[in-house]
Amino acid sequence: MMEADGIVHRMVQANGITVHVAEKGETGAPVVVLLHGFAELWYSWRHQILGLAGRGCRAVAPDLRGYGDTSAPPSVASYSLFHIVGDLIALFDALSIPQALLVGNGWGAMVAWQTSIVRPDRVKAMVILSMPFMPRNPSVKPVAHFRSLYGDDYYVCKFQEPGKMEAEFDRIGTENVLRSLYSHHDPKTPVMSEEDLAKPKETTLPAWLTEHDFAYFASKFEKSGFTGPLNYYRCLDLNWELGAIWSGTKIEVPVKFIVGDQDLAYHYKGIQDYIHKGGFKGDVPQLEEVVVMEGVGHFINQEKPDEITDHIYEFISKFF
């Protein structure tokens, strides 16, 4: 799945780093930019790239900063949402994309939300998977909030100390780490006790991921490591500080939101009330549709590729 399917790869200079981009589709076609999440790559969108290009779109999927073949600056502070959104806007400029339709999952969804706040002029509409808009709480920093809710062993808290989790992942082995992450299909709060880390569970791949596909992910993470991806979590409090200037800002672009009912993100405390009882719509006035897919976990675009491609195209085609 790459060159044989007509997917074109290029390295683009943007915002002082080199960004690896995979794309397919004709120049001048409506541009759909696909933003992956944690422990993923452009390859997470392999099905959507082909499906959307086959329907007349130009599908563009970068490896985000710190991932795959894109540059991975070493410092934690280089992974603020200002940097990631800056990378995206610079990529738009380098590829001559005046305005795009954004699709994001997980951290990619958070990048899409932030882009629509700071540069709504560059975003035509969005399909967001997994992560609803999370309005800034001015009274508490995110890491302290998570720690108060879920304790020190909550994964976001465990990720905070630079180098510590990387050492654990090295000990466990890249393939074992990725197998565990991709196989997670439990909406319970994920904690990582010392005992859990000392004895990683052997896991088989989920049905939606072939050994061939897994080998591609593993080869890239073996090469680039986990520091870049973990630094996104280490910037949560920095993003909170930097984002004060936009506190209370509403999302003013059209949005469709899709989540699996087995996704951890759908089971954060209070999140279902927020999504379904008016809070989400209040913060995102042009939220046009919310879809909850039964029996589906976090890696929704890979787990249900055809359905997600259909959902994306059905919504974005209104804006061509």
Side-chain angles (χ1 to χ4, degrees):
M1 149 80 64
M2 275 190 280
E3 286 77 3
D5 294 299
I7 295 175
V8 175
H9 295 261
R10 64 170 94 182
M11 306 300 287
V12 179
Q13 300 305 307
N15 198 25
I17 65 171
T18 302
V19 180
H20 167 247
V21 177
E23 66 173 294
K24 184 172 184 179
E26 298 297 324
T27 301
V31 179
V32 187
V33 177
L34 305 157
L35 304 172
H36 67 78
F38 174 66
E40 297 188 272
L41 300 165
W42 76 267
Y43 197 72
S44 306
W45 299 106
R46 59 197 177 280
H47 306 292
Q48 286 74 37
I49 292 172
L50 298 181
L52 293 170
R55 300 187 194 188
C57 299
R58 178 185 174 194
V60 177
D63 283 334
L64 296 183
R65 173 181 292 236
Y67 283 89
D69 294 320
T70 291
S71 299
S75 70
V76 170
S78 295
Y79 290 81
S80 76
L81 280 171
F82 277 72
H83 289 85
I84 312 302
V85 173
D87 295 345
L88 189 58
I89 297 302
L91 182 64
F92 286 5
D93 292 342
L95 298 180
S96 300
I97 300 171
Q99 199 175 44
L101 298 146
L102 290 186
V103 181
N105 184 40
W107 266 104
M110 294 175 70
V111 173
W113 287 124
Q114 191 67 27
T115 303
S116 71
I117 287 177
V118 301
R119 291 304 303 269
D121 59 306
R122 305 301 293 269
V123 182
K124 190 172 290 187
M126 302 194 300
V127 177
I128 300 293
L129 312 180
S130 178
M131 291 295 296
F133 179 62
M134 307 291 279
R136 181 180 182 274
N137 182 343
S139 63
V140 62
K141 291 185 177 183
V143 176
H145 174 67
F146 285 127
R147 186 171 281 117
S148 70
L149 287 177
Y150 305 122
D152 290 336
D153 285 340
Y154 182 60
Y155 77 103
V156 171
C157 303
K158 296 288 264 191
F159 286 174
Q160 291 304 309
E161 185 179 335
K164 184 173 182 180
M165 193 55 63
E166 290 92 321
E168 293 288 353
F169 285 175
D170 283 345
R171 181 183 60 76
I172 295 168
T174 298
E175 289 198 9
N176 289 330
V177 170
L178 292 176
R179 282 180 185 273
S180 179
L181 289 171
Y182 297 158
S183 301
H184 186 83
H185 206 279
D186 186 342
K188 293 177 185 159
T189 302
V191 297
M192 295 179 174
S193 68
E194 297 302 326
E195 183 179 352
D196 291 335
L197 291 170
K199 296 180 180 178
K201 299 173 184 176
E202 289 190 14
T203 54
T204 56
L205 292 178
W208 50 262
L209 188 62
T210 68
E211 288 288 349
H212 173 77
D213 292 333
F214 178 76
Y216 181 82
F217 284 111
S219 70
K220 292 301 180 182
F221 279 95
E222 191 68 48
K223 175 184 172 186
S224 61
F226 288 92
T227 295
L230 291 171
N231 280 346
Y232 284 64
Y233 293 91
R234 293 167 184 155
C235 274
L236 281 169
D237 285 351
L238 176 59
N239 289 332
W240 180 87
E241 294 173 13
L242 295 172
I245 192 171
W246 288 288
S247 191
T249 299
K250 297 184 184 301
I251 303 295
E252 298 292 354
V253 301
V255 174
K256 179 174 185 173
F257 177 70
I258 309 169
V259 66
D261 69 354
Q262 298 302 301
D263 191 331
L264 165 71
Y266 191 59
H267 292 270
Y268 286 137
K269 185 173 182 178
I271 202 69
Q272 292 183 31
D273 282 350
Y274 172 71
I275 291 172
H276 298 294
K277 294 185 177 180
F280 192 13
K281 177 70 172 176
D283 291 326
V284 187
Q286 294 189 67
L287 177 66
E288 296 191 11
E289 188 177 359
V290 171
V291 177
V292 180
M293 298 181 71
E294 292 185 8
V296 183
H298 181 69
F299 300 103
I300 188 168
N301 50 315
Q302 297 184 76
E303 192 171 344
K304 297 291 182 183
D306 294 338
E307 293 93 326
I308 291 300
T309 301
D310 288 344
H311 275 300
I312 293 170
Y313 185 77
E314 177 189 79
F315 184 67
I316 66 174
S317 61
K318 297 188 291 186
F319 304 96
F320 293 173

